[in-house]
Amino acid sequence: MRRKLVAGNWKMHGTLQKNAVLLEEVRRGVSGLGCEVAVCPPYPYLGQAQSILAGSAVGLGAQSVSEHAFGAYTGEVSAAMLLEFGCRYVLVGHSERRALHGETDAQVAAKFEAARNAGLVPILCVGETLAERQAGRTESVVAGQLSAILDRFGVAAMAAAVVAYEPVWAIGTGITASPAQAQAVHAAIRARVAARDAEVADGLRILYGGSVKPQNAVELFGQADIDGGLIGGAALVADDFLNICLAANR
Ligand code: PGA
C-alpha cells in the first residue's frame, strides 16, 4: 500500500508574517493524519519553516535545486544547502521552470540526480500542454519526460523518488483534469516504469497536480494510481490545504 503524499507548492508567494500563521495552522491541522504532508516555500523562508515545523509531521521541500554541488552559479541553491535547512523533498522540472526558465529534460535529469545524490527525494514533475493534449500527444510527451530519467539513471533511480503528473493546462487555471483523464495518465506512467521493474512501479508514488481543491480532491485521490497531490493555489489557504490533506487520508 502506497502512503499518500500531499505537497504544497507555494510558488513565489508568502511573507514572514503570513507564513507564520499558515505554517502553524498546517502543523496543528495535520497531526494524527495517516497521509504524509509537505510544504515547499520559497528558498528564503526555508529556515522559518524549518523552525516552525520542527518536531511536527509536516515535511519540508524546496521548489527547485541546482544541478551543481557548489561554485560560481549566481542565484543558485545546492542540494546540500537544502538539506541543511531540513528539506526532505525538492520539486524538479516543474512546468513553470521548464517553460519560463528554459529547463530542458537533460537539465531536469541533472537536478534530479543532484537531489538524489544528496539524499533528497526528488518530485519529478511531468505533464503536457493543451496543444500537446489536443494533438493526442499526452502519453508520448509524458513518456519522454520520464525517459529522460529512466534512460540516463535506470529504473532504480525511481525507487527513492516521487512523480507528479501536472497537465500544464490545469495549473492555476481552475480547470482540473477529470479523475478519469488523470487516472489514465497515472496508469500509463506506472506501466512505463513497470515495464522496467514491477516492484519499483508498485511502490512509486504518483501525485496529481493542477487546480486541486477540497471539492475535487476526494474523487481524484480515490483513483487507483493517484497517490496524493501537488497543490499550488489551494496550499496558501490553510483550510483548503488541510481539507485536501483530509481527502488523502480516507
Ligand atoms: P495549482 O498549481 O494547484 O495552483 O494549479 C499546481 C502546481 O503548479 O504545482
Side-chain angles (χ1 to χ4, degrees):
M1 207 24 203
R2 296 178 294 270
R3 189 171 174 220
K4 285 201 166 47
L5 167 64
V6 176
N9 172 13
W10 290 10
K11 309 194 181 188
M12 201 172 74
H13 293 290
T15 65
L16 285 171
Q17 212 178 353
K18 283 188 197 163
N19 303 345
V21 177
L22 179 56
L23 289 165
E24 282 295 352
E25 284 182 340
V26 171
R27 180 197 164 107
R28 270 199 308 274
V30 304
S31 86
L33 286 188
C35 62
E36 217 176 318
V37 175
V39 294
C40 305
Y43 290 138
Y45 300 133
L46 288 173
Q48 178 194 28
Q50 180 185 30
S51 65
I52 293 178
L53 298 175
S56 84
V58 184
L60 191 56
Q63 298 173 18
S64 187
V65 63
S66 172
E67 59 268 48
H68 305 289
F70 58 86
Y73 301 104
T74 301
E76 293 293 291
V77 173
S78 74
M81 294 171 187
L82 298 180
L83 272 182
E84 280 202 295
F85 283 90
C87 286
R88 171 166 169 69
Y89 296 101
V90 62
L91 307 183
V92 296
H94 189 280
S95 64
E96 287 151 16
R97 302 292 317 170
R98 293 180 192 261
L100 306 174
H101 301 274
E103 287 187 9
T104 61
D105 274 343
Q107 211 177 348
V108 172
K111 287 170 183 275
F112 181 100
E113 200 51 7
R116 231 171 51 90
N117 284 339
L120 291 164
V121 177
I123 301 180
L124 172 71
C125 303
V126 298
E128 82 288 3
T129 63
L130 185 58
E132 288 163 342
R133 174 162 283 264
Q134 285 169 341
R137 295 186 50 226
T138 299
E139 282 191 21
S140 66
V141 167
V142 170
Q145 291 166 335
L146 269 183
S147 293
I149 305 296
L150 293 173
D151 294 349
R152 191 149 158 207
F153 306 117
V155 67
M158 282 293 173
V162 172
V163 172
Y165 168 57
E166 298 203 303
V168 178
W169 48 272
I171 294 177
T173 58
I175 303 166
T176 319
S178 71
Q181 278 175 323
Q183 166 59 25
V185 180
H186 282 232
I189 292 171
R190 198 176 308 285
R192 202 152 268 279
V193 177
R196 303 195 187 216
D197 188 317
E199 207 176 311
V200 171
D202 196 46
L204 179 66
R205 291 189 290 185
I206 308 175
L207 314 183
Y208 169 78
S211 296
V212 178
K213 305 277 178 255
Q215 297 82 344
N216 56 30
V218 171
E219 214 189 328
L220 283 163
F221 297 167
Q223 305 298 307
D225 290 293
I226 301 187
D227 306 308
L230 181 55
I231 319 301
L236 300 171
V237 181
D239 274 356
D240 286 353
F241 187 62
L242 290 171
N243 279 318
I244 292 168
C245 295
L246 274 177
N249 196 45
R250 291 154 71 104

